[in-house]
Amino acid sequence: MKRFISTLLLMIMLASVLLTTAACKRQEDQGAVYYLNFKPEQDGDWQALADKYTQETGVEVVVLTAAANTYETTLKSEMAKRDAPTLFQVNGPVGLASWKDYCYDLKDTAIYKNLQSDDFALIEGDSVYGIAYAIETYGIIYNRSLLNRYFTMDGAVAQSIEDIDGFDSLKALVEDIQARKDELGIDGAFTSSGMDSSSDWRFKTHLANMPLYYEFESSGTSDYSSVRGDYLDNYRAIWDLYINNATCDPTEISGKTGDDASAEFKNARAVFYQNGTWAYGDISDVGDENLGMLPIYIGAPNEEQQGLCTGSENYWCVNKNANQEDIDATLDFLEWVITSDEGRSSMANDMAFVTPFETFTEEYQADNPLIRAANEYIAAGKTSVKWMFPTMPSEEWKNALGSALTAYAAGTGSWDDVRTAFVDGWASEYEKANANR
C-alpha cells in the first residue's frame, strides 16, 4: 500500500509538471504583444482594448503610451531593449526612412488585405511597411451657441458662419468678437495658443502644414529637400490672429498647456479652438449641437474652395526583429482590432477614428459633430488640405520652429527668426536626415 501511494503521488506530481510545462509551452507558442502607442489621448482606450483581448485569448498585450512629443526618443529607447515593441508607429515616409530596417512586410497580412486603398499604406517596391489606421481632420473648432449670440448683436460683421469663407472675413469676425468679449461673457475669441509640449504641436506642426501645403501645391513639386517659405507671411497673419485675440496675453503662451485650451473652450470662455476630430471627447460637454469646425484660412489664393485638413501621420509597423511567435501574435491582435465587434466599436466610438479598413461597415462608422463637419465640406465639393507633416525633415525642425514662434509671440524674437527656422532649418535637418542614404 505504501509503495502504491508513493507511486500514485509520483504520478500526480509528474502529471502536474507535464501540465505546467505544456501550459508554459502553449503560452510561449502564442507569443505576446507590446504596443508602443503614439496618442496619449487614446491611452485609456487602448489599455481597455488590450485587457479585453487578453481575457478573450489569453495572449498578453502590453500597451505603453509615449508622452506628448517624446515618441521618437521613446521608440529609440524601447527598441534598444531586449523586449522591444512588437508594434510601433511611424509618421509617414520620413519616419519610415529611419525605421524601415525594423519593419515587417505586411503585404500578406489581414490588415493590408482589408485596407480600402494603397493610398493608406507605406509601400516600397513589393513590400508594405506601414498601414495607416486613422484618417483624421482638423481645423478651427467653434462654439455655435456663442457665435449665434454674437450674430444677433448690433453691428456684427457677420450674420452667420456661412459668411466666413476666407482669411479677411475670419479676421474681421475674430477681432470684433475680441473687442466685444465682455459683452459676450468670454475671455477671448481664441483659446490660448499653448506652447508647452502638450500643445505646441498644434502650431509648429498642424498650423505649419498650411504654408507647406500651399507652397508644394503651387509648385507641383514632389522634391521635399528644401522649402522657400512662399507662404510665411500668411503663416504670420494667422499666428498673429491667434495670439492677439485670445484668452491670454501673447507673452504667456509658453506656460499654457493643451488642458488649458480645452478647458477654456469646454467652459465657454472662448469661441474658437484649433484642434481636430480626436479632441471631441475632451470638449463634448459643449454639446453636439454647439460644435462646428471651420477651415484654417490664411489668405491663400482661392481659399474659398478650401476644406478642412484631412489625412494621417500614424502608420502601424510590426517589428520584424521580434520573435516569430510575437510577430504572429501581433498580427492576430491587429486583425482582431479591425474585425471584432469590440475592436471596431472601440476605434469608431471610443477613439472616434475614421478608419481606412473595409471591415468598418456602416454600424462601425465614427459619428460626432466634428466628423460630420468634415464630411459636409467634402460633400460640398471643397478641397481638403493634405497633411504634409510626413515631409517635415525631423522633430528637431518642429522644435526649433516652435521655439521661434514662442519667442516671436513674447517679443524676444523676430519673424525673421521664424523664417530662418522654417527655411534654413529645413535644409539643414533634411541634409542630416539623408546624410547616410
Side-chain angles (χ1 to χ4, degrees):
M1 181 62 69
K2 287 181 181 178
R3 286 197 300 273
F4 174 76
I5 293 173
S6 298
T7 301
L8 182 61
L9 289 174
L10 183 61
M11 291 175 64
I12 292 172
M13 290 174 61
L14 180 59
S16 176
V17 169
L18 289 173
L19 286 172
T20 301
T21 303
C24 291
K25 184 67 168 60
R26 284 196 300 274
Q27 187 171 7
E28 181 181 320
D29 288 345
Q30 67 186 177
V33 182
Y34 172 16
Y35 178 28
L36 183 59
N37 172 43
F38 174 80
K39 288 177 164 293
E41 63 270 28
Q42 265 84 45
D43 176 68
D45 298 322
W46 279 115
Q47 299 291 353
L49 203 55
D51 288 344
K52 284 182 183 178
Y53 186 72
T54 299
Q55 290 170 13
E56 183 175 313
T57 66
V59 175
E60 181 184 21
V61 179
V62 174
V63 178
L64 175 67
T65 299
N69 281 349
T70 67
Y71 191 82
E72 194 69 12
T73 54
T74 304
L75 181 58
K76 288 177 181 177
S77 173
E78 292 301 304
M79 280 298 197
K81 296 179 180 178
R82 180 177 178 181
D83 295 322
T86 64
L87 178 62
F88 63 100
Q89 295 171 221
V90 299
N91 68 352
V94 171
L96 179 63
S98 299
W99 292 101
K100 188 169 70 172
D101 291 343
Y102 290 80
C103 295
Y104 184 83
D105 188 352
L106 301 170
K107 67 176 179 292
D108 295 323
T109 65
I111 55 168
Y112 178 61
K113 291 177 180 178
N114 283 292
L115 200 61
Q116 292 173 350
S117 166
D118 282 350
D119 291 342
F120 305 118
L122 297 175
I123 301 175
E124 292 188 11
D126 294 328
S127 297
V128 179
Y129 292 116
I131 302 287
Y133 63 87
I135 308 303
E136 298 173 305
T137 297
Y138 69 92
I140 298 174
I141 301 172
Y142 59 83
N143 183 315
R144 196 183 303 274
S145 177
L146 290 176
L147 274 179
N148 287 340
R149 193 186 311 169
Y150 166 80
F151 291 144
T152 64
M153 289 181 164
D154 291 340
V157 300
Q159 278 65 57
S160 74
I161 197 64
E162 286 71 28
D163 293 337
I164 311 305
D165 61 357
F167 179 76
D168 290 342
S169 55
L170 175 64
K171 184 174 187 290
L173 174 65
V174 168
E175 291 181 341
D176 199 39
I177 287 175
Q178 186 74 10
R180 302 183 189 217
K181 64 180 183 178
D182 293 338
E183 295 175 68
L184 285 166
I186 60 175
D187 297 329
F190 274 99
T191 62
S192 53
S193 299
M195 292 301 283
D196 93 314
S197 62
S198 68
S199 175
D200 62 350
W201 50 269
R202 294 190 292 136
F203 312 108
K204 70 183 186 183
T205 304
H206 285 194
L207 190 59
N209 187 78
M210 299 305 299
L212 288 173
Y213 167 77
Y214 277 106
E215 178 174 330
F216 291 146
E217 283 292 301
S218 62
S219 66
T221 186
S222 57
D223 177 8
Y224 305 125
S225 60
S226 64
V227 292
R228 297 187 301 269
D230 296 347
Y231 290 87
L232 280 178
D233 288 343
N234 305 79
Y235 189 24
R236 179 179 186 174
I238 188 66
W239 182 236
D240 282 346
L241 191 68
Y242 283 4
I243 63 176
N244 293 323
N245 299 278
T247 57
C248 71
D249 189 88
T251 60
E252 299 173 8
I253 64 174
S254 63
K256 293 293 184 179
T257 69
D259 287 343
D260 291 332
S262 62
E264 290 160 8
F265 187 81
K266 183 170 64 175
N267 295 322
R269 307 312 303 168
V271 179
F272 301 108
Y273 172 39
Q274 186 200 296
N275 217 323
T277 49
W278 57 86
Y280 171 70
D282 294 332
I283 59 174
S284 58
D285 288 351
V286 172
D288 285 7
E289 70 281 5
N290 292 323
L291 288 173
M293 189 153 45
L294 276 171
I296 301 175
Y297 295 119
I298 64 171
N302 303 313
E303 67 179 354
E304 66 276 5
Q305 296 302 317
Q306 177 191 309
L308 301 170
C309 303
T310 299
S312 180
E313 65 167 346
N314 297 291
Y315 293 80
W316 278 330
C317 300
V318 173
N319 184 0
K320 74 175 187 182
N321 298 324
N323 294 329
Q324 188 61 49
E325 294 85 357
D326 294 340
I327 291 174
D328 293 340
T330 301
L331 295 174
D332 289 343
F333 172 66
L334 289 177
E335 182 175 3
W336 179 84
V337 167
I338 68 164
T339 59
S340 69
D341 291 339
E342 297 94 332
R344 289 180 292 176
S345 178
S346 179
M347 290 189 75
N349 301 320
D350 300 332
M351 304 184 203
F353 288 157
V354 176
T355 57
F357 301 104
E358 293 176 349
T359 51
F360 282 75
T361 46
E362 186 174 348
E363 65 270 31
Y364 297 107
Q365 295 297 318
D367 183 32
N368 69 54
L370 302 181
I371 291 173
R372 290 196 291 274
N375 292 336
E376 286 167 5
Y377 276 99
I378 293 172
K382 303 297 183 182
T383 301
S384 297
V385 173
K386 298 174 185 175
W387 285 18
M388 306 307 299
F389 321 146
T391 69
M392 294 175 179
S394 70
E395 193 66 29
E396 182 53 38
W397 180 83
K398 300 176 191 178
N399 292 338
L401 179 61
S403 295
L405 288 170
T406 306
Y408 168 77
T412 58
S414 69
W415 193 254
D416 284 341
D417 298 328
V418 176
R419 181 176 293 276
T420 297
F422 195 97
V423 177
D424 297 346
W426 185 289
S428 61
E429 287 301 307
Y430 186 92
E431 183 178 359
K432 289 179 189 176
N434 291 273
N436 297 319
R437 294 184 201 168

